[in-house]
Amino acid sequence: MKSFKYLDDTAILTLDTEKCTGCSRCITVCPHSVLAVSNKIAHIVDPNSCMECGACVKNCPENALFTNPDDGCGCAAYIIASWVAKLRGTPSNCAC
Amino acid sequence: MPRSGSNEIAGYTISPMVKSFYSTPTGPVPQVASNLSFGDKLGTFRARIGALRSSYRIAPGIYCIGSPNASSPVLVTGNYKLSFDTLRKELSEIDCWILVIDSRGINVWCAAGKGTFSTEEISYQINKCNLDQIVNHRKIILPQLGATGVAAHELKSLCGFTGVFGPIRADDIPHFLAKGQISSEMRNITFTLLERLSLIPVEICLFWKSLLIIFAITFILSGLSPNFFSLNSAIERTIFGSFFTLIGIVTGAALTPLLLPWTFFRQFWLKGALLGVLTSLATLSILSGKNLAENLAIIFWITSLSSFLAMNFTGSTPFTSLTGVAKEMRRGLPFQIVSATIACILWVMSSFL
């Protein structure tokens, strides 16, 4: 189901095709079908659907994938808290 | 009167969802019901309105449904009770083991993001429960949304078990177990009207602390008058103003999520602002202020509040990226602050006109 789209050309997701062995683990875990394997190698076929959840990065045995490494669930309250924490130099923690 | 059963241990209470204890090589394992009781449903309701949150958890460890044997499947989940209930109610016809990870009472997806539903936690729990003595195979079925925190390929070296990612939704598990695989449709996350609806109560209920601050500020601003402070005006205008605050909350935290696919913009602060302008105009056509300044204050206030709450809803959706949310916040937040400030100035001004 692709009824929802967020911002285009925004999410950070890169794939190092030199490292990829085409094992397909990233295809299994991605909840938005962002990746697909063809010619024994993975390809980013729908970058604008990526929500940077990091499932593919975590499950790539070759470390071929990269996404925004900042943690946090992507809620505004958390981002405000982390901005405030950065200003005050204290660590932030998500309440949800 | 019979004596207490052998499973009643001093200092422990048997959970109402446990039907009996099932004998295994490692000792008795709680056998849970696959139908939800009234108490479970009440718990779900309380969790959905935010009355129970981090405290809504069950003890981590191994549970079972039906009469599993050494070759029965092992399903893994977190120890947020809402997650556990969602899983077990789909397994009525299935004999299986359920390994509950100590995700600190948080749902699988969020816990995976925070690192508590992790490769290490799963290995820890497998070893702690001596799962290798309970089953003769070496395979566990992981929830797909746990993949953010679990590297399935690293599990084997840590605990001897291999992880296989099952479906996202618990109701697809019977199909997955029967066929051994699932369609790509089941690997994609949905965000249906019903799913969005179930998130609304908590969005609204968790706002009450901020609401008290808003009431206090409204009270002070409403009382400011040509003769410094009027208590009468403060009370009267706070009641009047709070009605519009409520409209703003409903617009941002309920209407925007419901109308999500049909609100034109991609950025949430714009979705909320658009609906805020529309609902404030609609409300004013029924109940309007005493002058133009007050009416404009209401429009700016509802728009700002609705825009903020809509922006905050990004954290509850399964498709917004962190980079994207940060990007829209750098635009949305200044808009909301300026708009709310204008609303405050106009609200006070209207008493002096």
Side-chain angles (χ1 to χ4, degrees), chain A residues 6 8 28-29 31-33 51-53 59 68 77 96, chain B residues 114 144 148 150 152 187-189 266 312 318 323 328:
Chain A
Y6 198 39
D8 286 341
T28 302
V29 296
H32 288 288
S33 302
M51 60 173 296
E52 301 175 335
C53 73
N59 280 278
N68 183 349
C96 52
Chain B
K114 288 169 205 289
Q144 190 191 325
T148 300
V150 181
R187 292 240 171 262
N188 278 335
I189 193 139
R266 296 249 178 119
N312 206 36
T323 309
E328 77 160 271

mmCIF file with all atom_site columns, all heavy atoms in Angstrom, chain A residues 6 8 28-29 31-33 51-53 59 68 77 96, chain B residues 114 144 148 150 152 187-189 266 312 318 323 328:
data_model
loop_
_atom_site.group_PDB
_atom_site.id
_atom_site.type_symbol
_atom_site.label_atom_id
_atom_site.label_alt_id
_atom_site.label_comp_id
_atom_site.label_asym_id
_atom_site.label_entity_id
_atom_site.label_seq_id
_atom_site.pdbx_PDB_ins_code
_atom_site.Cartn_x
_atom_site.Cartn_y
_atom_site.Cartn_z
_atom_site.occupancy
_atom_site.B_iso_or_equiv
_atom_site.pdbx_formal_charge
_atom_site.auth_seq_id
_atom_site.auth_comp_id
_atom_site.auth_asym_id
_atom_site.auth_atom_id
_atom_site.pdbx_PDB_model_num
ATOM 1   N N   . TYR A 1 6   ? 5.695  10.959  2.006  1.00 0.00 ? 6   TYR A N   1
ATOM 2   C CA  . TYR A 1 6   ? 6.161  12.121  2.765  1.00 0.00 ? 6   TYR A CA  1
ATOM 3   C C   . TYR A 1 6   ? 6.997  12.986  1.816  1.00 0.00 ? 6   TYR A C   1
ATOM 4   O O   . TYR A 1 6   ? 6.817  12.918  0.601  1.00 0.00 ? 6   TYR A O   1
ATOM 5   C CB  . TYR A 1 6   ? 6.926  11.630  4.010  1.00 0.00 ? 6   TYR A CB  1
ATOM 6   C CG  . TYR A 1 6   ? 7.099  12.665  5.084  1.00 0.00 ? 6   TYR A CG  1
ATOM 7   C CD1 . TYR A 1 6   ? 6.081  13.559  5.406  1.00 0.00 ? 6   TYR A CD1 1
ATOM 8   C CD2 . TYR A 1 6   ? 8.297  12.761  5.786  1.00 0.00 ? 6   TYR A CD2 1
ATOM 9   C CE1 . TYR A 1 6   ? 6.250  14.498  6.391  1.00 0.00 ? 6   TYR A CE1 1
ATOM 10  C CE2 . TYR A 1 6   ? 8.475  13.704  6.781  1.00 0.00 ? 6   TYR A CE2 1
ATOM 11  C CZ  . TYR A 1 6   ? 7.451  14.583  7.082  1.00 0.00 ? 6   TYR A CZ  1
ATOM 12  O OH  . TYR A 1 6   ? 7.629  15.517  8.058  1.00 0.00 ? 6   TYR A OH  1
ATOM 13  N N   . ASP A 1 8   ? 9.591  14.580  -0.717 1.00 0.00 ? 8   ASP A N   1
ATOM 14  C CA  . ASP A 1 8   ? 10.478 14.027  -1.743 1.00 0.00 ? 8   ASP A CA  1
ATOM 15  C C   . ASP A 1 8   ? 11.918 14.493  -1.520 1.00 0.00 ? 8   ASP A C   1
ATOM 16  O O   . ASP A 1 8   ? 12.153 15.575  -0.980 1.00 0.00 ? 8   ASP A O   1
ATOM 17  C CB  . ASP A 1 8   ? 10.004 14.473  -3.137 1.00 0.00 ? 8   ASP A CB  1
ATOM 18  C CG  . ASP A 1 8   ? 8.748  13.717  -3.557 1.00 0.00 ? 8   ASP A CG  1
ATOM 19  O OD1 . ASP A 1 8   ? 8.481  12.654  -2.969 1.00 0.00 ? 8   ASP A OD1 1
ATOM 20  O OD2 . ASP A 1 8   ? 8.040  14.215  -4.453 1.00 0.00 ? 8   ASP A OD2 1
ATOM 21  N N   . THR A 1 28  ? 13.448 -8.007  2.671  1.00 0.00 ? 28  THR A N   1
ATOM 22  C CA  . THR A 1 28  ? 12.560 -8.638  3.645  1.00 0.00 ? 28  THR A CA  1
ATOM 23  C C   . THR A 1 28  ? 12.126 -7.665  4.733  1.00 0.00 ? 28  THR A C   1
ATOM 24  O O   . THR A 1 28  ? 10.956 -7.614  5.098  1.00 0.00 ? 28  THR A O   1
ATOM 25  C CB  . THR A 1 28  ? 13.286 -9.836  4.310  1.00 0.00 ? 28  THR A CB  1
ATOM 26  O OG1 . THR A 1 28  ? 13.667 -10.739 3.298  1.00 0.00 ? 28  THR A OG1 1
ATOM 27  C CG2 . THR A 1 28  ? 12.384 -10.524 5.312  1.00 0.00 ? 28  THR A CG2 1
ATOM 28  N N   . VAL A 1 29  ? 13.055 -6.881  5.250  1.00 0.00 ? 29  VAL A N   1
ATOM 29  C CA  . VAL A 1 29  ? 12.730 -6.072  6.434  1.00 0.00 ? 29  VAL A CA  1
ATOM 30  C C   . VAL A 1 29  ? 12.111 -4.706  6.122  1.00 0.00 ? 29  VAL A C   1
ATOM 31  O O   . VAL A 1 29  ? 11.454 -4.123  6.981  1.00 0.00 ? 29  VAL A O   1
ATOM 32  C CB  . VAL A 1 29  ? 13.971 -5.870  7.342  1.00 0.00 ? 29  VAL A CB  1
ATOM 33  C CG1 . VAL A 1 29  ? 14.427 -7.201  7.892  1.00 0.00 ? 29  VAL A CG1 1
ATOM 34  C CG2 . VAL A 1 29  ? 15.099 -5.149  6.623  1.00 0.00 ? 29  VAL A CG2 1
ATOM 35  N N   . PRO A 1 31  ? 9.674  -1.936  5.444  1.00 0.00 ? 31  PRO A N   1
ATOM 36  C CA  . PRO A 1 31  ? 8.208  -1.877  5.485  1.00 0.00 ? 31  PRO A CA  1
ATOM 37  C C   . PRO A 1 31  ? 7.586  -1.024  4.371  1.00 0.00 ? 31  PRO A C   1
ATOM 38  O O   . PRO A 1 31  ? 6.379  -0.823  4.340  1.00 0.00 ? 31  PRO A O   1
ATOM 39  C CB  . PRO A 1 31  ? 7.927  -1.268  6.862  1.00 0.00 ? 31  PRO A CB  1
ATOM 40  C CG  . PRO A 1 31  ? 9.134  -0.455  7.181  1.00 0.00 ? 31  PRO A CG  1
ATOM 41  C CD  . PRO A 1 31  ? 10.300 -1.083  6.459  1.00 0.00 ? 31  PRO A CD  1
ATOM 42  N N   . HIS A 1 32  ? 8.434  -0.479  3.488  1.00 0.00 ? 32  HIS A N   1
ATOM 43  C CA  . HIS A 1 32  ? 7.897  0.372   2.425  1.00 0.00 ? 32  HIS A CA  1
ATOM 44  C C   . HIS A 1 32  ? 8.381  -0.024  1.023  1.00 0.00 ? 32  HIS A C   1
ATOM 45  O O   . HIS A 1 32  ? 8.279  0.796   0.089  1.00 0.00 ? 32  HIS A O   1
ATOM 46  C CB  . HIS A 1 32  ? 8.265  1.838   2.702  1.00 0.00 ? 32  HIS A CB  1
ATOM 47  C CG  . HIS A 1 32  ? 7.504  2.432   3.843  1.00 0.00 ? 32  HIS A CG  1
ATOM 48  N ND1 . HIS A 1 32  ? 6.175  2.758   3.772  1.00 0.00 ? 32  HIS A ND1 1
ATOM 49  C CD2 . HIS A 1 32  ? 7.881  2.736   5.105  1.00 0.00 ? 32  HIS A CD2 1
ATOM 50  C CE1 . HIS A 1 32  ? 5.776  3.248   4.934  1.00 0.00 ? 32  HIS A CE1 1
ATOM 51  N NE2 . HIS A 1 32  ? 6.783  3.242   5.770  1.00 0.00 ? 32  HIS A NE2 1
ATOM 52  N N   . SER A 1 33  ? 8.911  -1.232  0.891  1.00 0.00 ? 33  SER A N   1
ATOM 53  C CA  . SER A 1 33  ? 9.412  -1.698  -0.417 1.00 0.00 ? 33  SER A CA  1
ATOM 54  C C   . SER A 1 33  ? 10.298 -0.671  -1.117 1.00 0.00 ? 33  SER A C   1
ATOM 55  O O   . SER A 1 33  ? 10.131 -0.411  -2.308 1.00 0.00 ? 33  SER A O   1
ATOM 56  C CB  . SER A 1 33  ? 8.236  -2.086  -1.340 1.00 0.00 ? 33  SER A CB  1
ATOM 57  O OG  . SER A 1 33  ? 7.462  -3.073  -0.734 1.00 0.00 ? 33  SER A OG  1
ATOM 58  N N   . MET A 1 51  ? 11.604 5.901   5.312  1.00 0.00 ? 51  MET A N   1
ATOM 59  C CA  . MET A 1 51  ? 11.338 6.648   6.547  1.00 0.00 ? 51  MET A CA  1
ATOM 60  C C   . MET A 1 51  ? 12.517 6.562   7.520  1.00 0.00 ? 51  MET A C   1
ATOM 61  O O   . MET A 1 51  ? 12.390 6.887   8.686  1.00 0.00 ? 51  MET A O   1
ATOM 62  C CB  . MET A 1 51  ? 10.052 6.147   7.205  1.00 0.00 ? 51  MET A CB  1
ATOM 63  C CG  . MET A 1 51  ? 10.093 4.689   7.579  1.00 0.00 ? 51  MET A CG  1
ATOM 64  S SD  . MET A 1 51  ? 8.641  4.165   8.531  1.00 0.00 ? 51  MET A SD  1
ATOM 65  C CE  . MET A 1 51  ? 8.823  5.126   10.012 1.00 0.00 ? 51  MET A CE  1
ATOM 66  N N   . GLU A 1 52  ? 13.651 6.120   7.006  1.00 0.00 ? 52  GLU A N   1
ATOM 67  C CA  . GLU A 1 52  ? 14.889 6.066   7.800  1.00 0.00 ? 52  GLU A CA  1
ATOM 68  C C   . GLU A 1 52  ? 14.745 5.229   9.068  1.00 0.00 ? 52  GLU A C   1
ATOM 69  O O   . GLU A 1 52  ? 15.329 5.540   10.093 1.00 0.00 ? 52  GLU A O   1
ATOM 70  C CB  . GLU A 1 52  ? 15.347 7.484   8.177  1.00 0.00 ? 52  GLU A CB  1
ATOM 71  C CG  . GLU A 1 52  ? 15.604 8.380   6.973  1.00 0.00 ? 52  GLU A CG  1
ATOM 72  C CD  . GLU A 1 52  ? 15.928 9.813   7.359  1.00 0.00 ? 52  GLU A CD  1
ATOM 73  O OE1 . GLU A 1 52  ? 15.519 10.245  8.443  1.00 0.00 ? 52  GLU A OE1 1
ATOM 74  O OE2 . GLU A 1 52  ? 16.596 10.494  6.558  1.00 0.00 ? 52  GLU A OE2 1
ATOM 75  N N   . CYS A 1 53  ? 13.957 4.146   9.008  1.00 0.00 ? 53  CYS A N   1
ATOM 76  C CA  . CYS A 1 53  ? 13.782 3.332   10.214 1.00 0.00 ? 53  CYS A CA  1
ATOM 77  C C   . CYS A 1 53  ? 15.047 2.558   10.542 1.00 0.00 ? 53  CYS A C   1
ATOM 78  O O   . CYS A 1 53  ? 15.281 2.183   11.691 1.00 0.00 ? 53  CYS A O   1
ATOM 79  C CB  . CYS A 1 53  ? 12.586 2.393   10.086 1.00 0.00 ? 53  CYS A CB  1
ATOM 80  S SG  . CYS A 1 53  ? 12.841 0.992   8.975  1.00 0.00 ? 53  CYS A SG  1
ATOM 81  N N   . ASN A 1 59  ? 20.219 -4.964  9.205  1.00 0.00 ? 59  ASN A N   1
ATOM 82  C CA  . ASN A 1 59  ? 20.212 -6.341  8.742  1.00 0.00 ? 59  ASN A CA  1
ATOM 83  C C   . ASN A 1 59  ? 21.080 -6.598  7.511  1.00 0.00 ? 59  ASN A C   1
ATOM 84  O O   . ASN A 1 59  ? 21.003 -7.663  6.908  1.00 0.00 ? 59  ASN A O   1
ATOM 85  C CB  . ASN A 1 59  ? 18.775 -6.811  8.498  1.00 0.00 ? 59  ASN A CB  1
ATOM 86  C CG  . ASN A 1 59  ? 18.103 -7.189  9.809  1.00 0.00 ? 59  ASN A CG  1
ATOM 87  O OD1 . ASN A 1 59  ? 18.293 -8.284  10.314 1.00 0.00 ? 59  ASN A OD1 1
ATOM 88  N ND2 . ASN A 1 59  ? 17.371 -6.248  10.398 1.00 0.00 ? 59  ASN A ND2 1
ATOM 89  N N   . ASN A 1 68  ? 20.089 7.997   7.944  1.00 0.00 ? 68  ASN A N   1
ATOM 90  C CA  . ASN A 1 68  ? 20.249 8.982   9.024  1.00 0.00 ? 68  ASN A CA  1
ATOM 91  C C   . ASN A 1 68  ? 20.431 8.241   10.346 1.00 0.00 ? 68  ASN A C   1
ATOM 92  O O   . ASN A 1 68  ? 19.526 7.568   10.807 1.00 0.00 ? 68  ASN A O   1
ATOM 93  C CB  . ASN A 1 68  ? 18.989 9.860   9.057  1.00 0.00 ? 68  ASN A CB  1
ATOM 94  C CG  . ASN A 1 68  ? 19.085 10.972  10.089 1.00 0.00 ? 68  ASN A CG  1
ATOM 95  O OD1 . ASN A 1 68  ? 19.990 10.975  10.915 1.00 0.00 ? 68  ASN A OD1 1
ATOM 96  N ND2 . ASN A 1 68  ? 18.145 11.903  10.020 1.00 0.00 ? 68  ASN A ND2 1
ATOM 97  N N   . ALA A 1 77  ? 7.877  16.415  19.337 1.00 0.00 ? 77  ALA A N   1
ATOM 98  C CA  . ALA A 1 77  ? 8.191  16.642  20.747 1.00 0.00 ? 77  ALA A CA  1
ATOM 99  C C   . ALA A 1 77  ? 9.617  16.178  21.062 1.00 0.00 ? 77  ALA A C   1
ATOM 100 O O   . ALA A 1 77  ? 10.351 16.854  21.782 1.00 0.00 ? 77  ALA A O   1
ATOM 101 C CB  . ALA A 1 77  ? 7.197  15.893  21.636 1.00 0.00 ? 77  ALA A CB  1
ATOM 102 N N   . CYS A 1 96  ? 8.177  8.696   24.796 1.00 0.00 ? 96  CYS A N   1
ATOM 103 C CA  . CYS A 1 96  ? 7.153  7.803   24.254 1.00 0.00 ? 96  CYS A CA  1
ATOM 104 C C   . CYS A 1 96  ? 7.668  6.405   24.007 1.00 0.00 ? 96  CYS A C   1
ATOM 105 O O   . CYS A 1 96  ? 8.826  6.138   24.150 1.00 0.00 ? 96  CYS A O   1
ATOM 106 C CB  . CYS A 1 96  ? 6.552  8.383   22.984 1.00 0.00 ? 96  CYS A CB  1
ATOM 107 S SG  . CYS A 1 96  ? 7.752  8.868   21.752 1.00 0.00 ? 96  CYS A SG  1
ATOM 108 N N   . LYS B 2 114 ? 14.737 2.179   19.919 1.00 0.00 ? 114 LYS B N   1
ATOM 109 C CA  . LYS B 2 114 ? 15.455 2.643   21.107 1.00 0.00 ? 114 LYS B CA  1
ATOM 110 C C   . LYS B 2 114 ? 16.544 1.667   21.536 1.00 0.00 ? 114 LYS B C   1
ATOM 111 O O   . LYS B 2 114 ? 17.293 1.940   22.465 1.00 0.00 ? 114 LYS B O   1
ATOM 112 C CB  . LYS B 2 114 ? 14.489 2.782   22.287 1.00 0.00 ? 114 LYS B CB  1
ATOM 113 C CG  . LYS B 2 114 ? 13.537 3.942   22.188 1.00 0.00 ? 114 LYS B CG  1
ATOM 114 C CD  . LYS B 2 114 ? 12.484 3.780   23.276 1.00 0.00 ? 114 LYS B CD  1
ATOM 115 C CE  . LYS B 2 114 ? 11.198 4.471   22.926 1.00 0.00 ? 114 LYS B CE  1
ATOM 116 N NZ  . LYS B 2 114 ? 11.284 5.920   22.963 1.00 0.00 ? 114 LYS B NZ  1
ATOM 117 N N   . GLN B 2 144 ? 8.489  -8.413  12.007 1.00 0.00 ? 144 GLN B N   1
ATOM 118 C CA  . GLN B 2 144 ? 9.248  -7.643  11.010 1.00 0.00 ? 144 GLN B CA  1
ATOM 119 C C   . GLN B 2 144 ? 9.632  -6.255  11.502 1.00 0.00 ? 144 GLN B C   1
ATOM 120 O O   . GLN B 2 144 ? 10.721 -5.767  11.227 1.00 0.00 ? 144 GLN B O   1
ATOM 121 C CB  . GLN B 2 144 ? 8.454  -7.522  9.703  1.00 0.00 ? 144 GLN B CB  1
ATOM 122 C CG  . GLN B 2 144 ? 9.295  -6.931  8.554  1.00 0.00 ? 144 GLN B CG  1
ATOM 123 C CD  . GLN B 2 144 ? 8.458  -6.553  7.355  1.00 0.00 ? 144 GLN B CD  1
ATOM 124 O OE1 . GLN B 2 144 ? 7.469  -7.213  7.040  1.00 0.00 ? 144 GLN B OE1 1
ATOM 125 N NE2 . GLN B 2 144 ? 8.845  -5.495  6.673  1.00 0.00 ? 144 GLN B NE2 1
ATOM 126 N N   . THR B 2 148 ? 14.474 -3.066  12.959 1.00 0.00 ? 148 THR B N   1
ATOM 127 C CA  . THR B 2 148 ? 15.235 -1.856  13.221 1.00 0.00 ? 148 THR B CA  1
ATOM 128 C C   . THR B 2 148 ? 16.263 -2.072  14.336 1.00 0.00 ? 148 THR B C   1
ATOM 129 O O   . THR B 2 148 ? 17.303 -1.431  14.365 1.00 0.00 ? 148 THR B O   1
ATOM 130 C CB  . THR B 2 148 ? 14.241 -0.743  13.618 1.00 0.00 ? 148 THR B CB  1
ATOM 131 O OG1 . THR B 2 148 ? 13.359 -0.561  12.523 1.00 0.00 ? 148 THR B OG1 1
ATOM 132 C CG2 . THR B 2 148 ? 14.918 0.551   13.925 1.00 0.00 ? 148 THR B CG2 1
ATOM 133 N N   . VAL B 2 150 ? 17.020 -5.490  15.484 1.00 0.00 ? 150 VAL B N   1
ATOM 134 C CA  . VAL B 2 150 ? 17.531 -6.865  15.519 1.00 0.00 ? 150 VAL B CA  1
ATOM 135 C C   . VAL B 2 150 ? 18.226 -7.230  14.209 1.00 0.00 ? 150 VAL B C   1
ATOM 136 O O   . VAL B 2 150 ? 17.621 -7.174  13.136 1.00 0.00 ? 150 VAL B O   1
ATOM 137 C CB  . VAL B 2 150 ? 16.382 -7.875  15.765 1.00 0.00 ? 150 VAL B CB  1
ATOM 138 C CG1 . VAL B 2 150 ? 16.927 -9.289  15.826 1.00 0.00 ? 150 VAL B CG1 1
ATOM 139 C CG2 . VAL B 2 150 ? 15.650 -7.529  17.049 1.00 0.00 ? 150 VAL B CG2 1
ATOM 140 N N   . ALA B 2 152 ? 19.180 -10.103 12.332 1.00 0.00 ? 152 ALA B N   1
ATOM 141 C CA  . ALA B 2 152 ? 18.876 -11.538 12.362 1.00 0.00 ? 152 ALA B CA  1
ATOM 142 C C   . ALA B 2 152 ? 20.106 -12.395 12.088 1.00 0.00 ? 152 ALA B C   1
ATOM 143 O O   . ALA B 2 152 ? 20.273 -13.461 12.675 1.00 0.00 ? 152 ALA B O   1
ATOM 144 C CB  . ALA B 2 152 ? 17.771 -11.854 11.358 1.00 0.00 ? 152 ALA B CB  1
ATOM 145 N N   . ARG B 2 187 ? 4.443  -7.426  3.838  1.00 0.00 ? 187 ARG B N   1
ATOM 146 C CA  . ARG B 2 187 ? 5.690  -6.827  4.305  1.00 0.00 ? 187 ARG B CA  1
ATOM 147 C C   . ARG B 2 187 ? 5.605  -5.304  4.317  1.00 0.00 ? 187 ARG B C   1
ATOM 148 O O   . ARG B 2 187 ? 6.503  -4.627  4.784  1.00 0.00 ? 187 ARG B O   1
ATOM 149 C CB  . ARG B 2 187 ? 6.862  -7.264  3.430  1.00 0.00 ? 187 ARG B CB  1
ATOM 150 C CG  . ARG B 2 187 ? 7.187  -8.741  3.566  1.00 0.00 ? 187 ARG B CG  1
ATOM 151 C CD  . ARG B 2 187 ? 8.601  -8.971  4.059  1.00 0.00 ? 187 ARG B CD  1
ATOM 152 N NE  . ARG B 2 187 ? 8.862  -10.356 4.405  1.00 0.00 ? 187 ARG B NE  1
ATOM 153 C CZ  . ARG B 2 187 ? 8.811  -10.847 5.654  1.00 0.00 ? 187 ARG B CZ  1
ATOM 154 N NH1 . ARG B 2 187 ? 8.495  -10.054 6.662  1.00 0.00 ? 187 ARG B NH1 1
ATOM 155 N NH2 . ARG B 2 187 ? 9.074  -12.109 5.897  1.00 0.00 ? 187 ARG B NH2 1
ATOM 156 N N   . ASN B 2 188 ? 4.536  -4.762  3.716  1.00 0.00 ? 188 ASN B N   1
ATOM 157 C CA  . ASN B 2 188 ? 4.383  -3.308  3.683  1.00 0.00 ? 188 ASN B CA  1
ATOM 158 C C   . ASN B 2 188 ? 3.440  -2.828  4.769  1.00 0.00 ? 188 ASN B C   1
ATOM 159 O O   . ASN B 2 188 ? 2.403  -3.436  5.018  1.00 0.00 ? 188 ASN B O   1
ATOM 160 C CB  . ASN B 2 188 ? 3.847  -2.870  2.312  1.00 0.00 ? 188 ASN B CB  1
ATOM 161 C CG  . ASN B 2 188 ? 4.963  -2.761  1.287  1.00 0.00 ? 188 ASN B CG  1
ATOM 162 O OD1 . ASN B 2 188 ? 6.124  -2.559  1.647  1.00 0.00 ? 188 ASN B OD1 1
ATOM 163 N ND2 . ASN B 2 188 ? 4.616  -2.900  0.032  1.00 0.00 ? 188 ASN B ND2 1
ATOM 164 N N   . ILE B 2 189 ? 3.807  -1.721  5.390  1.00 0.00 ? 189 ILE B N   1
ATOM 165 C CA  . ILE B 2 189 ? 2.995  -1.213  6.496  1.00 0.00 ? 189 ILE B CA  1
ATOM 166 C C   . ILE B 2 189 ? 1.804  -0.413  5.982  1.00 0.00 ? 189 ILE B C   1
ATOM 167 O O   . ILE B 2 189 ? 1.883  0.250   4.948  1.00 0.00 ? 189 ILE B O   1
ATOM 168 C CB  . ILE B 2 189 ? 3.849  -0.376  7.458  1.00 0.00 ? 189 ILE B CB  1
ATOM 169 C CG1 . ILE B 2 189 ? 3.108  -0.120  8.744  1.00 0.00 ? 189 ILE B CG1 1
ATOM 170 C CG2 . ILE B 2 189 ? 4.313  0.925   6.826  1.00 0.00 ? 189 ILE B CG2 1
ATOM 171 C CD1 . ILE B 2 189 ? 3.946  -0.228  9.958  1.00 0.00 ? 189 ILE B CD1 1
ATOM 172 N N   . ARG B 2 266 ? 2.053  17.795  1.820  1.00 0.00 ? 266 ARG B N   1
ATOM 173 C CA  . ARG B 2 266 ? 2.813  16.665  2.368  1.00 0.00 ? 266 ARG B CA  1
ATOM 174 C C   . ARG B 2 266 ? 3.301  16.982  3.776  1.00 0.00 ? 266 ARG B C   1
ATOM 175 O O   . ARG B 2 266 ? 3.440  16.097  4.607  1.00 0.00 ? 266 ARG B O   1
ATOM 176 C CB  . ARG B 2 266 ? 4.034  16.378  1.480  1.00 0.00 ? 266 ARG B CB  1
ATOM 177 C CG  . ARG B 2 266 ? 3.664  15.926  0.077  1.00 0.00 ? 266 ARG B CG  1
ATOM 178 C CD  . ARG B 2 266 ? 4.024  14.460  -0.125 1.00 0.00 ? 266 ARG B CD  1
ATOM 179 N NE  . ARG B 2 266 ? 3.631  14.014  -1.454 1.00 0.00 ? 266 ARG B NE  1
ATOM 180 C CZ  . ARG B 2 266 ? 4.479  13.563  -2.357 1.00 0.00 ? 266 ARG B CZ  1
ATOM 181 N NH1 . ARG B 2 266 ? 5.779  13.496  -2.088 1.00 0.00 ? 266 ARG B NH1 1
ATOM 182 N NH2 . ARG B 2 266 ? 4.051  13.157  -3.525 1.00 0.00 ? 266 ARG B NH2 1
ATOM 183 N N   . ASN B 2 312 ? 3.182  17.364  15.360 1.00 0.00 ? 312 ASN B N   1
ATOM 184 C CA  . ASN B 2 312 ? 3.563  16.401  16.395 1.00 0.00 ? 312 ASN B CA  1
ATOM 185 C C   . ASN B 2 312 ? 3.072  14.985  16.062 1.00 0.00 ? 312 ASN B C   1
ATOM 186 O O   . ASN B 2 312 ? 3.639  14.005  16.538 1.00 0.00 ? 312 ASN B O   1
ATOM 187 C CB  . ASN B 2 312 ? 2.995  16.844  17.744 1.00 0.00 ? 312 ASN B CB  1
ATOM 188 C CG  . ASN B 2 312 ? 3.816  16.301  18.892 1.00 0.00 ? 312 ASN B CG  1
ATOM 189 O OD1 . ASN B 2 312 ? 5.040  16.210  18.790 1.00 0.00 ? 312 ASN B OD1 1
ATOM 190 N ND2 . ASN B 2 312 ? 3.164  15.914  19.963 1.00 0.00 ? 312 ASN B ND2 1
ATOM 191 N N   . PRO B 2 318 ? 3.605  5.761   10.488 1.00 0.00 ? 318 PRO B N   1
ATOM 192 C CA  . PRO B 2 318 ? 4.649  4.822   10.099 1.00 0.00 ? 318 PRO B CA  1
ATOM 193 C C   . PRO B 2 318 ? 5.302  5.170   8.764  1.00 0.00 ? 318 PRO B C   1
ATOM 194 O O   . PRO B 2 318 ? 5.754  4.296   8.064  1.00 0.00 ? 318 PRO B O   1
ATOM 195 C CB  . PRO B 2 318 ? 3.880  3.502   10.005 1.00 0.00 ? 318 PRO B CB  1
ATOM 196 C CG  . PRO B 2 318 ? 2.518  3.911   9.554  1.00 0.00 ? 318 PRO B CG  1
ATOM 197 C CD  . PRO B 2 318 ? 2.284  5.325   10.003 1.00 0.00 ? 318 PRO B CD  1
ATOM 198 N N   . THR B 2 323 ? 14.717 12.979  9.135  1.00 0.00 ? 323 THR B N   1
ATOM 199 C CA  . THR B 2 323 ? 15.249 14.126  8.395  1.00 0.00 ? 323 THR B CA  1
ATOM 200 C C   . THR B 2 323 ? 14.101 15.013  7.909  1.00 0.00 ? 323 THR B C   1
ATOM 201 O O   . THR B 2 323 ? 14.178 16.239  8.001  1.00 0.00 ? 323 THR B O   1
ATOM 202 C CB  . THR B 2 323 ? 16.074 13.643  7.167  1.00 0.00 ? 323 THR B CB  1
ATOM 203 O OG1 . THR B 2 323 ? 17.024 12.674  7.617  1.00 0.00 ? 323 THR B OG1 1
ATOM 204 C CG2 . THR B 2 323 ? 16.801 14.783  6.515  1.00 0.00 ? 323 THR B CG2 1
ATOM 205 N N   . GLU B 2 328 ? 10.683 19.937  8.224  1.00 0.00 ? 328 GLU B N   1
ATOM 206 C CA  . GLU B 2 328 ? 9.417  20.681  8.274  1.00 0.00 ? 328 GLU B CA  1
ATOM 207 C C   . GLU B 2 328 ? 9.266  21.462  9.574  1.00 0.00 ? 328 GLU B C   1
ATOM 208 O O   . GLU B 2 328 ? 8.607  22.492  9.629  1.00 0.00 ? 328 GLU B O   1
ATOM 209 C CB  . GLU B 2 328 ? 8.213  19.783  7.997  1.00 0.00 ? 328 GLU B CB  1
ATOM 210 C CG  . GLU B 2 328 ? 7.738  18.878  9.101  1.00 0.00 ? 328 GLU B CG  1
ATOM 211 C CD  . GLU B 2 328 ? 6.280  18.438  8.851  1.00 0.00 ? 328 GLU B CD  1
ATOM 212 O OE1 . GLU B 2 328 ? 5.381  19.157  9.299  1.00 0.00 ? 328 GLU B OE1 1
ATOM 213 O OE2 . GLU B 2 328 ? 6.052  17.391  8.199  1.00 0.00 ? 328 GLU B OE2 1
#
